[in-house]
Amino acid sequence: MQATLKDLSGGMLIVALSLLALPVSSFAHQVSSVSLITHLDTEGRTYFLDAAMAVIPSQEQERNDQISPEEAARQFAEEYLSVFFDEKEQIPEIDIERINTSDEETPQELQQQEVLVKMTGSIPKNAREYLLYLDPSSPMAVVMVAIKDEKPERRMQVILAGEYSRPINVQPVMDEDPFEVVSQEKRAVASLGTSEEKAGQQKEERGAFGSGWMGPFDGPLLLILLPGVIFLLTLKGWPTVIQLGAVLVGQNMVISLVALDLISPIPSAEPILGGLLATLAGETFLHRKLRWWRLVALVVAGVMAGLMLTQRADFYRLFVEPEQVGFGQVILYVTGAEIAVVVAALFSALLLLTLRRFDWYEKSVIQPLAVLIGAYGSFEVIKNLF
């Protein structure tokens, strides 16, 4: 439990740092960071969300008088946080309490206030899964730890704006013969099985190699554009191999560390990767020579790509839900993701090598692609940070 709360505090710090650049004089009291613990009682069929919200005031007292810290916290809870059970939204009861986290010696204008928001409700009958949804207009991510039947999850969750938390099974543990229960579930699936359900079941049962292979293709477009942008800079043999290797080193390293529960993922991987992608695309207009800083940028880009893969549902199923993770599973997943990146790179190289023999290649292919990739990377930065 102490390790879980430690991860939660670290996640709160990451989320709060992203807001330091905002001018505090432009708003009244406003929530600056949110950490949340979800308590699920599958036997008593109740849920309890315990959210701690740090609230920062404006420098103008008149604005602060318009919205109190409690009102700011309530608005955040009601407008941005949504509780779902089996995709059906619930309306919890909200109770709010304000506490002062600064000591008596702290000047009034520097004192920090924290608001505790408690959201309670009943788990619907026959509900299977719990989800917490963060509205796309939320100004920040939310760090969450789930405690199911007094047992905390192995890792915290960082929920970005517009995303759901990982699903948590809320069905009560049954005392019947497990073999009989499995037999009944199989008969139910057989009787209800349509082609769509079977396809979904096959996807859920995808192994470590298949999940790693499909990760870059199922994920954001940034993951596929990363190996492709290398060939806008050069199509020469060794420089290309070295740069692609830098991406793979960063990606494989972070996937392995997260899968083995040695580190926790950070919430800002997507905008960082978008910024690096825009920088690499812009470099095509300046020079094409391989410099040391490009290798550093590509390693960091590979790390961000790997962190984004660790947010995928298949990764969670394979490496977060199980109590123990086999090293062989990690190798298979990493290998699958690595081959996917290489295949994407080979496809890009084949396409560009085919077009390079034309006179209009530079102005009609390289430069427009660099502009498009740079614009898309910049868009991802703006979308995720502002």
Side-chain angles (χ1 to χ4, degrees):
M1 182 63 181
Q2 292 179 350
T4 301
L5 294 177
K6 183 178 179 182
D7 289 343
L8 184 61
S9 300
M12 285 178 58
L13 178 61
I14 294 171
V15 175
L17 288 175
S18 66
L19 294 163
L20 292 179
L22 293 175
V24 297
S25 62
S26 61
F27 47 73
H29 284 109
Q30 189 175 53
V31 176
S32 62
S33 67
V34 179
S35 63
L36 186 149
I37 301 178
T38 294
H39 299 265
L40 297 169
D41 182 0
T42 62
E43 184 175 351
R45 307 305 289 169
T46 60
Y47 66 90
F48 165 44
L49 277 62
D50 190 5
M53 301 187 184
V55 179
I56 54 177
S58 169
Q59 294 178 354
E60 302 176 15
Q61 187 58 39
E62 293 181 358
R63 294 182 178 271
N64 293 333
D65 293 338
Q66 295 174 2
I67 300 179
S68 67
E70 292 90 340
E71 291 173 339
R74 180 180 292 275
Q75 287 180 3
F76 188 94
E78 293 178 345
E79 294 179 10
Y80 300 131
L81 297 176
S82 299
V83 176
F84 286 86
F85 285 96
D86 294 343
E87 302 182 357
K88 294 182 179 179
E89 185 174 0
Q90 309 297 312
I91 307 298
E93 295 182 4
I94 298 179
D95 184 36
I96 294 178
E97 176 187 0
R98 178 169 52 166
I99 60 174
N100 197 332
T101 58
S102 301
D103 55 38
E104 297 178 354
E105 299 179 357
T106 305
Q108 182 66 29
E109 62 274 9
L110 297 179
Q111 287 192 358
Q112 296 182 351
Q113 301 181 77
E114 190 171 72
V115 179
L116 303 181
V117 180
K118 303 180 185 299
M119 308 168 65
T120 57
S122 300
I123 299 176
K125 185 178 180 181
N126 299 324
R128 293 175 176 269
E129 290 183 338
Y130 161 82
L131 293 165
L132 181 66
Y133 178 69
L134 185 60
D135 191 85
S137 60
S138 173
M140 73 201 73
V142 169
V143 180
M144 184 185 83
V145 167
I147 300 178
K148 176 183 173 182
D149 296 332
E150 300 184 355
K151 295 181 181 179
E153 283 189 325
R154 292 174 58 216
R155 296 192 185 101
M156 68 176 184
Q157 299 188 41
V158 179
I159 310 170
L160 303 179
E163 293 187 355
Y164 288 90
S165 66
R166 294 189 293 262
I168 300 175
N169 189 301
V170 294
Q171 290 184 301
V173 178
M174 294 177 291
D175 296 329
E176 294 96 340
D177 184 351
F179 296 102
E180 179 62 25
V181 172
V182 171
S183 177
Q184 291 176 358
E185 290 180 349
K186 288 182 177 180
R187 288 197 298 267
V189 170
S191 63
L192 298 175
T194 62
S195 58
E196 181 178 353
E197 289 171 342
K198 291 178 180 178
Q201 186 180 12
Q202 290 174 358
K203 182 178 180 181
E204 290 179 0
E205 295 176 353
R206 194 158 50 196
F209 179 84
S211 298
W213 159 257
M214 290 303 300
F217 299 112
D218 284 344
L221 185 59
L222 290 171
L223 298 174
I224 298 300
L225 292 179
L226 177 58
V229 77
I230 293 174
F231 295 97
L232 298 182
L233 296 164
T234 180
L235 286 171
K236 296 180 180 179
W238 279 113
T240 300
V241 172
I242 293 172
Q243 292 177 87
L244 186 60
V247 172
L248 293 175
V249 166
Q251 176 179 291
N252 296 347
M253 175 183 64
V254 76
I255 290 175
S256 301
L257 292 175
V258 174
L260 295 173
D261 202 17
L262 298 177
I263 63 172
S264 297
I266 63 174
S268 54
E270 195 163 349
I272 294 175
L273 181 56
L276 289 171
L277 200 66
T279 301
L280 292 169
E283 200 171 359
T284 61
F285 296 98
L286 302 176
H287 66 87
R288 305 290 177 85
K289 294 182 180 179
L290 178 59
R291 306 289 175 84
W292 65 268
W293 60 78
R294 188 189 298 168
L295 291 179
V296 174
L298 287 170
V299 171
V300 176
V303 169
M304 296 302 112
L307 288 171
M308 289 170 64
L309 288 175
T310 62
Q311 301 292 328
R312 309 299 300 166
D314 276 353
F315 186 92
Y316 177 80
R317 174 177 55 84
L318 289 167
F319 302 111
V320 178
E321 287 183 344
E323 290 294 331
Q324 294 183 344
V325 175
F327 193 68
Q329 289 283 93
V330 178
I331 293 177
L332 287 173
Y333 187 94
V334 167
T335 303
E338 185 177 82
I339 292 177
V341 172
V342 172
V343 169
L346 290 176
F347 178 80
S348 301
L350 179 63
L351 179 62
L352 294 178
L353 284 170
T354 302
L355 298 174
R356 188 174 65 169
R357 58 191 179 91
F358 296 103
D359 296 335
W360 41 262
Y361 170 74
E362 183 70 25
K363 291 185 177 180
S364 299
V365 177
I366 293 296
Q367 294 180 4
L369 284 177
V371 170
L372 289 173
I373 293 175
Y376 180 72
S378 301
F379 169 75
E380 288 294 332
V381 174
I382 295 172
K383 182 184 73 172
N384 287 279
L385 294 183
F386 301 99

